[in-house]
Amino acid sequence: MPVSKTAMQQSDNFLARIHIDGWLLSGLLVLMSIGLLTIYSASGQDMELIQRQVIRLAIGLVAMFVLAQVPVSFYRNISPFVYGIGIVLLLSVLIIGVTGKGAQRWLDLGVFRFQPSEILKLFVPMTVAWYISKDGMPPSFKHLMVALLIVFIPTILIARQPDLGTSLLIASSGIFALFLAGMSWRIIALFALLIGSFAPIMWLFLMKAYQKQRVTTFLNPESDPLGAGYHIIQSKIAIGSGGLTGKGWLQGSQSQLEFLPEPHTDFIFAVFSEEFGFLGVIGLLLVYGFIVGRGLIIASRCQFLFSKLLAGSITLTFFVYVFVNMGMVSGLLPVVGVPLPLVSYGGTSMVTLMSGFGLLMAISTQKRVMSR
Amino acid sequence: MNNRRQTIRDFTAESNLFLRRCLFAVLLCFTLILVVLNNLYSLQVEQFEDYQIRADGNRIKVIPVAPNRGIIYDRNGTIIAENRPVFNLEVSLEQVEDLDTLLDELQQLLELTPSDIARFERNRKRQRRFHPVTLIANMDEDMMALFSAQQHRFDGVAVEASLARYYPYGSALTHVLGYVSKINARDLNLIASWGAQSNYAASKNIGKQGVERYYEERLHGKVGYAQLEVDSKGRTLRILEQTPPQPGEDLILNIDIELQLYVQSLLADKKGSVVVSDPSDGGILAMYSSPSYDPNLFVNGISQKDYSKLIENNDRPLLNRAVQGQYPPASLIKPHLALLGLESQKITDTTHIQDKGYYQLEDVEHVWRDWLKRGHGKVDVQRSIVVSCDTFFYELAYKLGIDTIHEYMAQFGFGEHTNIDLLEESDGNLPSRGWKRARFNQPWYIGDTISVGIGQGYWTATPVQLVDSINTIINYGVKNRPKLLKASILDDLVITEPLNTAEPIRVLQKKNWDMVQQAMFDTVNTPQGTAFKAFSNSSYASAGKTGTAQLFSVGQDEDVDDLIIADYLKDNAMYLGYAPAKDPKLSVIVALENAGGGGSNAAPISRNVMDYWLGETH
């Protein structure tokens, strides 16, 4: 293959050598910067918080970089094993886990606490992709059923902790992989129907009181303006009062006066919308759209089925984060505790997200190595 | 080769299918983004003006105001739990220009310790913005005077008054009143389960034990609200509107504080408990568990050091022995068993035995000893209670059988809550075949029944259960069970509380009950009675029963007197009595741990209590 040595391609080659996708990385860095600016405002100019977030982002970037260096075939080979380990960890959380904020999500490892449901966000799509890619696509009915089992075992275990947000994300990551693998439309319709009829059962038997309360509050926030509906109402006031152009950075009265709940974590989108307005929101959505688009391009360009499915699933799940968070903060969806990815303050979820992008980068750059 | 071509063809098909699905996914994402954007457009552009007005309206803040907790009185109107004003030094950070200098100057003026400063720094991190941070909790008068004189130098620092719970009688009433303390995560769950989150929006403390816990919802009151106008920095400008909080109910207990203090003095340096009740209604006149502790320690958060001291104390002051102490009832339940024997016609008033000092079943080698080695000689049911003859009751228990005993003693309330108004109460244990099967997976043996005849073996009871049972005997089966709360005050009206009643025990022959009461009278008033000495020369006639519970089994060939027994294995001394014998005004249980014989150790304390209550002061 003849190689022309323009400056652009040189830098491209350098990035390719260290397995980094330049486009994707720029998108992520822009998001992170927006996040830091908004956290600074939302936390009342708390530099300590910013420092901690910068450290987390750095850890995330390092994780991404390291994971990008590993050959994709390795990920493929370890998929079923790490999945098994993940399930064992989830079971041990239910049995010996540490309870925090009313839910049992953590394993206490002495030195630090560890949330196994986080790593399953990656292990589940990996395993589904591994399983489907063994036999090619579209999957047969039998394979589809097994793959669904792979998805729903951890989903149910996590929903029982209870952690509705994470179980939703894991279920969608698995289902996206199946969807991209060509799961037939008839079965998709069947599932939509099943989920529809499952909802009342969840309501009656599976959901805890606080989860039910979130749903009732979502349906009618004004019913409890000083209690649970408070979050949604305040958040909508913040967003709405931002208007077309916003009140300006550090000028949002809702967030500055602490009318907003958790303004720098799950509800940061409300702060952003208040201060940067509808135009700012369109800008933010363009950045997210760019990242999702780039992810799907990577997915469709690579040769191997495993890589395609995994890359596609990671990208679409990232979009689900964005949609669910924006939806809940603006009152379209019930509050389920999903952060705005790479913008919200904190969390293990940031490291998981960046690890996902690490896999994506491994896929994007190593396809060339493999196709030689 | 063929196979390989298949794979390649599949690859193209796969790639195309994947691409189609990707495109569909992009379409889906796009649609969802449009939905979000449409919603945001409606919020930010179409309804912008509405929301802008509401955002300005948000300058008006609604804050909850905590209600004052109900006051608790004793039966004579003496305050036993109150709310005292406390003064805290609070710093409004947004009004302070140079915090370090300010702290330095305050430190010099008020002689603050480094730990005060450290606590302030901790509070500062935890406190929400625009809420003042406490620098000194509970200032004394000297400190307030010192600060007030110099206040003009310190912008943003002010003395704030608030109310804090205070128990003027300290350790005397700990196990009755319990205490309030800071609301923690577990309490929050509890409050949520009551659906009372908004009612506790401003409350800092909650009842944790005793009456404070049991009547938490009545004592707490109803939260109020104040609408404040705040400036753009969140500072309060003025109060626009107020819904005042409704204070909690004031409660009047059956407790007589003077008697309670007297009982406390009687139990100083002893381990045990005394419960005094009014047999006419079951009201608890005094209830003290020794050792006790100062409940005020818990109100503002107990220090780790003080708490470990309480936890590590081997005498277990945190235990409320009056309702949580589970002791073998020993001879105290002989009247109850005698009553059962008579009512079930297993014995009559003339049934008697020859007591040789021990009891033995046919064909069984095991020997059950009487406490009197040489035996009591000829004993009928009357004398068996007066001299507390064990052998008579070994045989009676054998005749009755465990099922009958269990059924009747359950009617007296053994093995179950008395429903006294305390959540800490223990059940004790009234053994049965089913219980032993479930607990030890063993059948019930005859020998087990024999021990139950003298209130030993698997049988345990709490002092409050025992005093309740004697009230039932006094009242011929009618049950007015123990209760601490006498009345409550609502809008200056005293409302008497309903009694703690329960299904009465059916009286088959009244003379059987008279006979048992007479035997308890004779226990105190005839020279052979086990409580005669303790009550000699008293100005009233009382009735009662002594009890000495063995915590240590003596081997078949050993003699108790020859053994040196460790302190914690020494007998429990108990006395259960009432006075006057006719128309009783009080019933008393004294239960002393590891104190020796009941007649010589517990009965005298009971007499002191009766002397006091029936004496000139009352």
Side-chain angles (χ1 to χ4, degrees):
Chain A
M1 198 184 279
V3 179
S4 56
K5 297 200 170 183
T6 63
M8 178 68 194
Q9 267 186 336
Q10 247 174 359
S11 87
D12 209 30
N13 280 343
F14 168 71
L15 285 175
R17 259 204 308 282
I18 59 165
H19 302 293
I20 291 298
D21 183 85
W23 294 109
L24 200 51
L25 182 65
S26 347
L28 296 177
L29 289 175
V30 170
L31 266 190
M32 290 174 176
S33 319
I34 295 176
L36 286 175
L37 284 175
T38 320
I39 292 169
Y40 183 70
S41 171
S43 63
Q45 288 107 60
D46 188 340
M47 270 322 279
E48 224 176 286
L49 221 64
I50 295 290
Q51 277 172 15
R52 262 180 279 162
Q53 179 76 349
V54 167
I55 291 170
R56 278 208 193 92
L57 291 171
I59 293 173
L61 283 168
V62 169
M64 178 190 82
F65 181 79
V66 170
L67 289 175
Q69 312 307 313
V70 180
V72 180
S73 55
F74 176 75
Y75 292 122
R76 193 190 145 151
N77 292 337
I78 60 164
S79 290
F81 304 106
V82 292
Y83 178 80
I85 294 168
I87 296 295
V88 170
L89 288 174
L90 278 186
L91 285 170
S92 35
V93 167
L94 282 180
I95 300 163
I96 56 164
V98 181
T99 310
K101 284 190 186 169
Q104 209 167 16
R105 298 175 187 174
W106 305 86
L107 269 186
D108 203 333
L109 297 183
V111 194
F112 63 99
R113 282 170 150 203
F114 168 68
Q115 203 174 348
S117 54
E118 276 302 324
I119 54 170
L120 276 141
K121 284 181 182 168
L122 295 176
F123 292 172
V124 166
M126 274 166 69
T127 312
V128 172
W130 162 80
Y131 183 75
I132 298 291
S133 66
K134 280 199 309 183
D135 295 284
M137 59 188 259
S140 68
F141 184 76
K142 192 189 111 200
H143 287 142
L144 194 64
M145 288 302 126
V146 175
L148 282 172
L149 212 62
I150 294 174
V151 178
F152 281 111
I153 290 172
T155 303
I156 288 166
L157 287 177
I158 292 166
R160 285 190 49 101
Q161 291 181 352
D163 186 349
L164 226 50
T166 307
S167 74
L168 185 90
L169 287 167
I170 284 178
S172 41
S173 71
I175 289 175
F176 279 136
L178 287 173
F179 171 77
L180 293 173
M183 171 180 178
S184 88
W185 287 106
R186 227 180 295 164
I187 292 178
I188 294 174
L190 188 72
F191 268 98
L193 213 76
L194 270 179
I195 288 169
S197 50
F198 189 59
I201 300 175
M202 285 228 332
W203 176 266
L204 286 175
F205 301 109
L206 288 179
M207 287 169 88
K208 305 229 163 178
Y210 83 94
Q211 292 168 332
K212 285 188 190 178
Q213 196 189 24
R214 280 178 183 179
V215 177
T216 31
T217 311
F218 157 65
L219 294 174
N220 183 15
E222 312 279 339
S223 65
D224 187 10
L226 277 175
Y230 182 84
H231 290 195
I232 295 171
I233 295 173
Q234 294 302 329
S235 164
K236 282 169 87 172
I237 293 177
I239 295 172
S241 66
L244 191 64
T245 54
K247 298 174 184 172
W249 187 49
L250 301 181
Q251 303 300 314
S253 70
Q254 285 289 298
S255 24
Q256 299 302 319
L257 281 179
E258 300 197 341
F259 287 110
L260 267 184
E262 310 179 45
H264 55 275
T265 59
D266 287 358
F267 278 80
I268 197 156
F269 181 62
V271 179
F272 181 87
S273 313
E274 184 183 17
E275 300 191 346
F276 299 103
F278 188 62
L279 296 178
V281 171
I282 291 178
L284 182 64
L285 278 172
L286 284 176
V287 181
Y288 278 121
F290 173 78
I291 291 174
V292 171
R294 182 66 194 164
L296 289 179
I297 287 173
I298 290 171
S300 51
R301 270 191 192 163
C302 62
Q303 286 182 3
F304 293 92
L305 189 48
F306 172 77
S307 310
K308 271 184 191 304
L309 295 178
L310 182 57
S313 162
I314 288 174
T315 307
L316 291 178
T317 310
F318 177 75
F319 176 77
V320 171
Y321 269 94
V322 179
F323 175 69
V324 171
N325 180 276
M326 290 188 177
M328 87 182 186
V329 173
S330 62
L332 272 181
L333 297 173
V335 179
V336 282
V338 171
L340 188 61
L342 303 185
V343 174
S344 282
Y345 172 80
T348 14
S349 73
M350 150 97 64
V351 179
T352 321
L353 274 167
M354 292 303 290
S355 307
F357 284 113
L359 294 184
L360 211 55
M361 294 204 173
I363 289 167
S364 79
T365 53
Q366 283 167 345
K367 68 169 197 277
R368 286 170 239 187
V369 182
M370 284 188 286
S371 63
R372 264 194 311 207
Chain B
M1 210 46 201
N2 201 3
N3 198 5
R4 186 179 160 80
R5 207 181 305 142
Q6 186 77 27
T7 319
I8 292 168
R9 204 186 306 145
D10 265 356
F11 170 72
T12 325
E14 276 176 6
S15 201
N16 285 337
L17 176 55
F18 185 84
L19 212 61
R20 281 204 304 278
R21 284 297 167 100
C22 263
L23 281 176
F24 185 84
V26 169
L27 218 66
L28 185 73
C29 292
F30 201 67
T31 318
L32 290 177
I33 285 184
L34 280 184
V35 171
V36 170
L37 273 180
N38 178 52
N39 182 42
L40 289 170
Y41 183 80
S42 123
L43 286 174
Q44 299 194 290
V45 181
E46 288 171 7
Q47 303 176 56
F48 167 61
E49 280 174 18
D50 281 359
Y51 279 113
Q52 195 181 30
I53 292 167
R54 287 180 75 175
D56 283 338
N58 251 345
R59 299 267 156 89
I60 294 164
K61 231 162 69 174
V62 178
I63 60 154
V65 183
N68 289 348
R69 198 174 176 82
I71 292 170
I72 306 177
Y73 300 92
D74 88 334
R75 64 189 301 119
N76 301 314
T78 309
I79 290 178
I80 51 180
E82 63 182 323
N83 305 315
R84 277 205 320 194
V86 289
F87 299 95
N88 300 336
L89 194 65
E90 312 224 305
V91 183
S92 302
L93 294 171
E94 71 277 6
Q95 294 171 30
V96 174
E97 284 187 4
D98 184 351
L99 187 62
D100 290 334
T101 323
L102 179 95
L103 284 180
D104 275 349
E105 287 177 14
L106 280 173
Q107 191 165 10
Q108 277 173 21
L109 179 69
L110 303 173
E111 294 170 5
L112 302 182
T113 62
S115 74
D116 289 333
I117 302 289
R119 185 164 354 99
F120 172 75
E121 290 295 338
R122 272 204 308 278
N123 289 341
R124 191 156 80 95
K125 293 218 172 81
R126 255 184 258 142
Q127 187 60 281
R128 294 164 57 194
R129 278 192 296 157
F130 309 118
H131 287 253
V133 183
T134 306
L135 178 58
I136 307 167
N138 212 349
M139 297 173 84
D140 58 32
E141 278 175 31
D142 291 347
M143 213 180 237
M144 274 170 56
L146 217 53
F147 176 77
S148 303
Q150 301 285 325
Q151 184 158 20
H152 58 273
R153 281 170 52 204
F154 305 104
D155 273 348
V157 184
V159 177
E160 302 282 344
S162 64
L163 291 175
R165 199 64 157 172
Y166 179 66
Y167 306 104
Y169 295 96
S171 63
L173 282 164
T174 309
H175 293 118
V176 173
L177 292 174
Y179 52 82
V180 301
S181 190
K182 292 251 172 324
I183 295 176
N184 62 27
R186 255 198 7 233
D187 301 325
L188 285 177
N189 288 338
L190 187 72
I191 291 168
S193 74
W194 298 335
Q197 290 102 322
S198 37
N199 202 29
Y200 280 80
S203 306
K204 287 184 186 149
N205 286 344
I206 188 168
K208 300 269 183 172
Q209 302 241 314
V211 167
E212 293 272 30
R213 168 69 187 83
Y214 191 91
Y215 292 110
E216 168 61 30
E217 284 167 278
R218 291 172 67 175
L219 285 164
H220 178 268
K222 206 162 163 259
V223 69
Y225 287 95
Q227 277 194 10
L228 305 180
E229 190 181 326
V230 295
D231 67 8
S232 62
K233 284 187 176 170
R235 283 182 235 149
T236 305
L237 297 176
R238 63 196 168 114
I239 298 171
L240 297 173
E241 212 184 295
Q242 281 193 79
T243 312
Q246 281 171 23
E249 274 178 61
D250 293 343
L251 302 183
I252 301 171
L253 301 191
N254 282 307
I255 295 286
D256 183 293
I257 185 62
E258 299 296 328
L259 178 68
Q260 178 80 15
L261 289 170
Y262 181 63
V263 168
Q264 181 184 30
S265 72
L266 293 175
L267 287 186
D269 307 325
K270 294 196 169 62
K271 212 165 64 178
S273 62
V274 168
V275 181
V276 185
S277 82
D278 180 346
S280 70
D281 62 3
I284 301 293
L285 301 170
M287 180 167 98
Y288 186 75
S289 169
S290 179
S292 182
Y293 58 93
D294 183 2
N296 292 306
L297 287 176
F298 283 87
V299 176
N300 291 316
I302 188 166
S303 71
Q304 193 58 46
K305 206 178 96 204
D306 287 337
Y307 191 60
S308 342
K309 248 197 262 168
L310 286 176
I311 291 274
E312 284 157 17
N313 187 335
N314 285 334
D315 291 339
R316 303 178 66 194
L318 294 174
L319 187 73
N320 183 354
R321 291 175 157 78
V323 297
Q324 291 175 313
Q326 304 181 70
Y327 308 107
S331 307
L332 298 188
I333 44 71
K334 282 177 180 166
H336 310 60
L337 286 166
L339 183 63
L340 169 58
L342 292 165
E343 291 272 89
S344 64
Q345 297 179 336
K346 289 279 195 245
I347 52 170
T348 67
D349 53 355
T350 55
T351 308
H352 63 267
I353 60 157
Q354 261 316 312
D355 176 18
K356 300 183 295 261
Y358 60 90
Y359 178 73
Q360 212 167 6
L361 286 169
E362 263 175 65
D363 306 329
V364 180
E365 238 176 75
H366 191 94
V367 165
W368 283 273
R369 293 181 180 168
D370 198 291
W371 64 270
L372 193 64
K373 238 196 284 179
R374 59 185 152 82
H376 295 282
K378 184 182 168 186
V379 178
D380 61 5
V381 59
Q382 162 80 11
R383 207 168 102 81
S384 72
I385 293 174
V386 175
V387 302
S388 201
C389 168
D390 290 339
T391 312
F392 186 91
F393 285 94
Y394 290 141
E395 180 152 349
L396 177 59
Y398 177 72
K399 281 183 184 164
L400 288 168
I402 186 63
D403 298 333
T404 315
I405 295 177
H406 182 270
E407 195 260 329
Y408 201 63
M409 291 305 139
Q411 290 187 49
F412 270 104
F414 290 107
E416 261 181 62
H417 286 185
T418 64
N419 282 329
I420 188 174
D421 29 8
L422 291 176
L423 292 181
E424 293 88 45
E425 194 181 5
S426 302
D427 285 345
N429 182 45
L430 180 61
S432 65
R433 286 177 205 277
W435 168 81
K436 195 177 175 195
R437 175 61 72 190
R439 177 80 174 71
F440 297 111
N441 195 21
Q442 277 175 12
W444 185 267
Y445 299 115
I446 294 284
D448 296 332
T449 312
I450 309 292
S451 312
V452 163
I454 58 160
Q456 297 267 174
Y458 298 117
W459 193 348
T460 60
T462 63
V464 78
Q465 279 175 340
L466 288 161
V467 83
D468 176 41
S469 73
I470 201 77
N471 288 346
T472 308
I473 292 183
I474 296 169
N475 294 318
Y476 295 94
V478 174
K479 286 174 137 184
N480 288 325
R481 314 204 70 187
K483 188 154 183 175
L484 288 162
L485 186 60
K486 183 181 174 66
S488 60
I489 307 176
L490 247 179
D491 302 328
D492 294 329
L493 272 174
V494 175
I495 300 162
T496 310
E497 273 292 302
L499 299 181
N500 180 10
T501 55
E503 193 75 11
I505 300 180
R506 220 170 69 152
V507 177
L508 296 176
Q509 284 200 292
K510 186 166 171 288
K511 72 169 181 51
N512 292 335
W513 296 68
D514 288 331
M515 186 187 303
V516 168
Q517 289 181 13
Q518 182 63 40
M520 287 193 281
F521 177 85
D522 291 345
T523 304
V524 178
N525 297 294
T526 59
Q528 50 175 333
T530 51
F532 180 73
K533 232 195 267 169
F535 283 89
S536 59
N537 301 322
S538 64
S539 58
Y540 50 88
S542 72
K545 182 73 198 77
T546 56
T548 306
Q550 251 183 45
L551 302 178
F552 180 74
S553 30
V554 181
Q556 287 283 299
D557 311 320
E558 289 172 314
D559 197 324
V560 195
D561 303 337
D562 299 341
L563 294 170
I564 299 160
I565 297 173
D567 261 356
Y568 71 96
L569 290 173
K570 278 190 184 153
D571 295 346
N572 288 344
M574 298 200 281
Y575 186 77
L576 180 59
Y578 55 93
K582 279 229 160 55
D583 192 15
K585 293 278 180 278
L586 77 163
S587 52
V588 183
I589 170 90
V590 178
L592 301 178
E593 290 176 17
N594 319 122
S600 47
N601 298 292
I605 290 183
S606 180
R607 173 173 180 176
N608 287 334
V609 172
M610 290 175 180
D611 283 355
Y612 180 89
W613 192 246
L614 301 173
E616 279 163 25
T617 42
H618 286 89

